[in-house]
Each structure stands twice: as C-alpha cells, then as structure tokens.
Amino acid sequence: MLDIPTSWAQSAVDLRPEISNVTVRVGQTVNPADVAEGCAGGTENRSLIAFDHAAWNDGPGNLSLGDPGCPDCEQVANPVCTNPLFECSLAGGHNHPHLKSFSDYSVTTRGSDAVLVRGHKEGFCLVNSLCRPDVTPPTGVGQCNELSAGCADFYGSGLGCQYVDVTGLPPGKYTLRVELNPLRTIEEVNHLNNVQTYDFEICQQRFGPVDVKIGVGDPRYQNKRLLTLRTTVEFPLERDIRSYDPIKSGLTVSVNLDGREVLGFGGATLPAGEVGKNCYPKDGWSRTGRSSWVFRSDSEMDPNCTIFTTGGVHTASVEKRGKKLTVFLRARVDPLSVAAIPKGGRALVILPGVSNDTSNETCGTSSLIRSCKRGGPGKSLLLCR
C-alpha cells in the first residue's frame, strides 16, 4: 500500500467514473509512446476497445492533491517527479504529470471476473474539464492537482492510452471494467460507486470492397484535399443489420493509409441525432427512404463549432438492402495525413448495435486497401482500392 500524505485524507471526496462512446477499433496504429508505457503490445494493426472517460467528484468537498513536483514532461529527458504519487506520462497527447494508480481499465469475458487483459492508464492530470450546470468552479484552478465538487476530469477516446489493447482476443462477448481509485490512495465518503462496466462484442471481421479517391488541395480550406469513400459490406444474415439505424446509433468510419489515419484522429465519428440537433440547422441525420439515410455537417469547417466534429466529413449516405450495407461519404482531409502514393492500408466501418443483442455491443466491418495509384484527369487523383 502506498504511503498516503495526510493532505490526501479528504473524507468529503466521492469519485465516480462515467464512460461513453465505447467502440471496438481494429487495424489501428498507436503512438510508440503508448507502447513504451505498456498500454499496447505494438504500434501496428492493433485491436482496441476505446472510450471516453469522465472522472466525477460527486462532492461535497473538493479534491486537492498538492504539487506533483514534476519537471516539464515534454522537454526534460527521463523526467522524475518529486512527489512519488505522480509521474510524467509520455503517451500520445499527454506529456504532463499523471497520478499513479488513479484508474484501472480491464476486460473480462462477459459473466466472469477473471481479467483477460488490462489497460495501463496510470492516472489523470486532474482539472475541471466538465461541471454540473449548477456548479461554478473556482478560477485559477487547472494545475493538475484540483477537482472541484460537482466537476469531472474528461479524457476523450482519441488520447494516448485511453483504451485497452484487446489484440489477440477471439471474437466473443466481453465486459469492459473501469475503476477509479482502485488502491484507495484517496480517502472517500463512498467507494461503492467507483466501478462502471460496459458489455461489448468483438465481432467476426467481415471484409468488403472499398473505393477511396483523394483529390488535390483546395486553397479555400487550408489546402485540404477532397476525399470520397464508397464501400458495400455483406453481412452473414439479414438480421445482423435489421435493427441498425444511424439516427439512433451513429456511424464511425476510419481510413488508414501507410499507418496514417486520414479522417481525423481515430477516424470520423458521425454522431447519432436528427437534423437540427447540432451547431447548424442542417447538421445531422435524416431518413430518405425506409432503409436509407443521409448525413450532413456544415459545422465541420467552422472553428467556432466545437461540439460537432466529424473528422472532416461533410456529407454521407447509408443504405440497407437485405444483408448488404452501402456507405458513401465526402470529406476534406489534411494534406499531411496522406503520403504521395500510399502503398495500402485499411478502411473500417463501425456500426453500433447491428445485432439483436441488447448489450450495446459495437461491431466493425473492415476493408483492406491493397494499393493506391495516380489516376483521373491530369493524374491528380489518388485512387485506392
């Protein structure tokens, strides 16, 4: 057990995890710093159960951890913190002090307590990222050592180590388990709400044809390049996708070429919701037929619309016919994310809730991109199939 400083014995603190946006992502490339920290077994072709995580302090008192005593984690080689309860996290997107053993991520077979794989999330740089509407956090807080009552520290699924590496686990039904303060290094008024679980499924991969075209840069959008993607995926049975509705479940699409994610960081997530629910009046999903939908995001290129980012996707369409699902999308991508002529990669379509199981599992369908070549008028397009 860790030697807890007396300043940590704060009996008015009540920590509670809240996880959301849980997705199984296959064929992923992770940051080498994640591997160095033990979060992943390698950098290429990893299968990850990724999720957003908010660590709430349900009050009634504030959590104050004191000075971590860490140097500049990004600039100092082999940084060491004077406070033994903190360390510098070098995982992708971090480079700042983390509290050791603040959270524990693990995966078990559904219905079992035996841990199959464990994440390596050491801790959070505790700041007031989110607060309840009735809570106004104090000013001047945000130095990796404060969490006010009624507020939460939030980590998005695109950050380094914000996942469990499930590479090698066979298709099946599993449970993600997230626990805050597992070693009880922080004294709380209630430890009964420190755990949250989420059932998910690793599905048998289904491969379908994919057609990706990437055009030249457009100076109107910081030289971003127009990308179109079309893929049709055939499922084993019609019932596998009978209940799928993007208005209710959303859609995630990623394109990875030569280890580079083309559609944002971690792929493009087109969130659930009808038109009119987001930043612009035409943003969101609308039904165009009994089994067809279209999606639009006018807010994507507006830097003031931070609540509705879609990895550059402007429009998309989804159509179900029997056991086949066709996805088409148009996006603008960062020119630096695409090599001159990529050798190949993978496209991934994630469809939340595609089966009749009520456990909220997320299944993915994957398409291998075997090669890319110049094509089209003036050989200006990249054609990847």
Side-chain angles (χ1 to χ4, degrees):
M1 197 74 171
L2 293 173
D3 184 16
I4 307 172
T6 56
S7 61
W8 284 58
Q10 302 171 63
S11 58
V13 171
D14 183 14
L15 297 172
R16 172 179 59 85
E18 181 177 86
I19 57 177
S20 58
N21 192 27
V22 182
T23 54
V24 178
R25 302 173 181 175
V26 301
Q28 298 296 292
T29 299
V30 302
N31 193 303
D34 290 18
V35 179
E37 289 203 10
C39 304
T43 59
E44 302 295 332
N45 199 29
R46 312 307 298 177
S47 294
L48 312 175
I49 175 75
F51 52 96
D52 296 341
H53 185 194
W56 285 93
N57 177 10
D58 286 342
N62 300 332
L63 173 63
S64 180
L65 305 180
D67 185 0
C70 300
D72 188 321
C73 297
E74 189 171 7
Q75 300 297 326
V76 176
N78 301 316
V80 177
C81 304
T82 57
N83 187 332
L85 294 175
F86 285 86
E87 69 176 2
C88 280
S89 173
L90 304 180
H94 292 283
N95 291 310
H96 54 226
H98 272 211
L99 170 62
K100 295 180 181 179
S101 302
F102 181 70
S103 57
D104 179 78
Y105 302 161
S106 61
V107 169
T108 66
T109 300
R110 195 176 304 176
S112 170
D113 293 330
V115 174
L116 300 174
V117 289
R118 193 180 296 278
H120 193 70
K121 190 74 170 183
E122 284 292 356
F124 287 17
C125 169
L126 296 169
V127 295
N128 295 322
S129 305
L130 306 168
C131 293
R132 295 198 313 260
D134 60 322
V135 172
T136 301
T139 59
V141 176
Q143 304 301 317
C144 295
N145 61 1
E146 299 283 346
L147 189 60
S148 300
C151 295
D153 188 49
F154 177 79
Y155 271 46
S157 62
L159 288 173
C161 295
Q162 194 53 50
Y163 55 78
V164 178
D165 186 350
V166 293
T167 306
L169 290 185
K173 297 184 177 183
Y174 300 91
T175 297
L176 169 68
R177 185 180 187 275
V178 174
E179 181 175 8
L180 289 183
N181 193 22
L183 300 182
R184 307 297 188 253
T185 54
I186 299 171
E187 186 174 318
E188 302 180 52
V189 294
N190 175 29
H191 290 291
L192 298 179
N193 60 351
N194 285 37
V195 175
Q196 185 180 2
T197 61
Y198 189 100
D199 291 339
F200 69 97
E201 183 174 3
I202 298 177
C203 301
Q204 189 71 43
Q205 286 298 299
R206 294 173 289 273
F207 293 90
V210 63
D211 188 355
V212 178
K213 298 183 177 69
I214 303 176
V216 296
D218 188 334
R220 295 175 298 174
Y221 302 103
Q222 289 121 14
N223 252 349
K224 291 191 174 183
R225 304 168 70 180
L226 179 65
L227 175 145
T228 63
L229 176 144
R230 183 184 296 276
T231 183
T232 298
V233 180
E234 182 172 353
F235 291 78
L237 299 171
E238 182 178 348
R239 70 181 184 212
D240 289 338
I241 57 171
R242 184 177 297 156
S243 62
Y244 174 66
D245 181 344
I247 294 177
K248 298 178 180 179
S249 306
L251 175 74
T252 297
V253 180
S254 68
V255 178
N256 191 297
L257 295 173
D258 286 355
R260 303 179 185 180
E261 187 61 60
V262 176
L263 293 175
F265 189 86
T269 297
L270 315 185
E274 295 180 336
V275 167
K277 300 292 186 182
N278 296 288
C279 190
Y280 279 74
K282 294 183 179 180
D283 284 357
W285 291 95
S286 59
R287 187 183 293 272
T288 56
R290 183 178 179 182
S291 299
S292 59
W293 303 263
V294 295
F295 173 87
R296 177 167 175 163
S297 171
D298 287 332
S299 62
E300 178 58 37
M301 304 310 298
D302 187 340
N304 295 317
C305 292
T306 59
I307 62 171
F308 197 62
T309 56
T310 58
V313 174
H314 178 55
T315 59
S317 64
V318 174
E319 182 179 17
K320 289 192 301 186
R321 287 195 176 185
K323 55 185 181 180
K324 291 185 178 181
L325 185 105
T326 298
V327 176
F328 173 80
L329 62 82
R330 293 168 61 89
R332 297 184 182 98
V333 301
D334 191 324
L336 298 178
S337 67
V338 184
I341 304 181
K343 296 178 181 179
R346 183 185 298 267
L348 174 66
V349 178
I350 297 174
L351 311 174
V354 299
S355 79
N356 292 325
D357 194 319
T358 58
S359 59
N360 297 319
E361 73 268 13
T362 301
C363 295
T365 60
S366 186
S367 301
L368 294 175
I369 300 174
R370 291 180 171 80
S371 65
C372 299
K373 63 181 180 180
R374 295 288 182 190
K379 305 292 183 180
S380 58
L381 286 176
L382 269 177
L383 306 177
C384 301
R385 292 182 175 88

